[in-house]
Amino acid sequence: MTFKLPELPYAYDALGPYMSAETLEFHHDKHHQAYVTKGNEFAGAGTKYDGKSIEDICKEAFAAKDAPVINNIGQHYNHMHFWNWMKKDGGGTKLPGKLDALVANYGGLAKVREDFIAAGMGQFGSGWAWLAIDGGKLAVQKTPNGENPLMHGSTPILGCDVWEHSYYIDYRNARPKYLEAFFDNLVNWEHVEELLEAAV
Ligand code: MN3
């Protein structure tokens, strides 16, 4: 298949003051576009990955240590969801039902928040912090560069991009403040619930 850059599901200025239009313009139009362009080169139409789902491509590329595909298709998958993992007036503490039960089982939303932010802080250099479903339970994970939980045997339901390009314009080097703002004010818990429904 030929991969395409999806449109943002909101206006560039919709996520202010937590994520600026300038950040979204660079991050979506330049960075994500570059992963799509490179992804098509290495895993698009006419390659051995043609016809496979993006989830399967992530898993197969990781198993085969196919770095250009891990990086570019991994990042395409991660960013496709990242835009939908955020919304205007997101965050908050009211979770949809299935997710609420899973979070309670983990130890509550405050514990999830603490561990998710710690995962994002603990990821040295570029990467992602995740909530994933692993063996039917909620797990907090982190991965380097373009990797994601699919490549490590679990199913992502929420991810936060901790590459500097995602926060440097708005937060400079203050990654913790960005992670807190993401969790408290941006997360689209309805999209997390949709992925959870599909995962279990
Ligand atoms: Mn990014």
Side-chain angles (χ1 to χ4, degrees):
M1 86 178 97
T2 300
F3 299 99
K4 283 199 188 124
L5 182 69
E7 295 220 11
L8 277 184
Y10 31 70
Y12 288 107
D13 62 0
L15 302 184
Y18 308 108
M19 187 174 284
S20 65
E22 188 184 359
T23 290
L24 282 169
E25 280 164 11
F26 272 92
H27 198 176
H28 174 270
D29 298 7
K30 308 285 186 205
H31 291 279
H32 191 174
Q33 179 64 64
Y35 301 131
V36 171
T37 303
K38 283 282 178 194
N40 277 320
E41 190 180 314
F42 295 110
T47 69
K48 66 178 178 181
Y49 296 101
D50 203 358
K52 295 183 173 167
S53 72
I54 190 166
E55 290 82 2
D56 283 345
I57 296 173
C58 284
K59 293 176 203 170
E60 283 182 32
F62 192 73
K65 298 188 169 64
D66 187 345
V69 177
I70 295 168
N71 293 335
N72 291 288
I73 296 299
Q75 283 290 65
H76 178 43
Y77 174 90
N78 298 348
H79 287 81
M80 268 172 21
H81 287 291
F82 184 56
W83 313 129
N84 287 299
W85 276 321
M86 298 185 288
K87 68 171 191 177
K88 184 179 174 61
D89 301 323
T93 54
K94 261 190 89 75
L95 305 182
K98 206 169 210 171
L99 183 62
D100 196 45
L102 200 76
V103 163
N105 194 264
Y106 184 90
L109 188 62
K111 173 74 175 149
V112 170
R113 179 185 185 275
E114 184 186 334
D115 290 357
F116 185 83
I117 290 169
M121 287 307 299
Q123 175 52 49
F124 183 76
S126 297
W128 291 74
W130 301 99
L131 296 185
I133 303 300
D134 189 12
K137 287 195 166 167
L138 186 66
V140 177
Q141 303 177 352
K142 60 181 191 284
T143 57
N145 304 314
E147 291 177 23
N148 59 48
L150 291 172
M151 300 172 184
H152 297 276
S154 54
T155 305
I157 58 170
L158 176 67
C160 183
D161 188 340
V162 297
W163 287 56
E164 282 190 347
H165 66 221
S166 195
Y167 61 88
Y168 207 82
I169 291 170
D170 300 321
Y171 299 90
R172 296 302 170 191
N173 61 333
R175 192 188 283 189
K177 283 201 163 51
Y178 159 67
L179 282 159
E180 286 165 14
F182 175 84
F183 201 93
D184 296 340
N185 303 105
L186 291 174
V187 175
N188 178 357
W189 291 114
E190 287 72 34
H191 187 59
V192 179
E193 176 87 350
E194 279 169 29
L195 292 172
L196 174 60
E197 295 274 5
V200 293

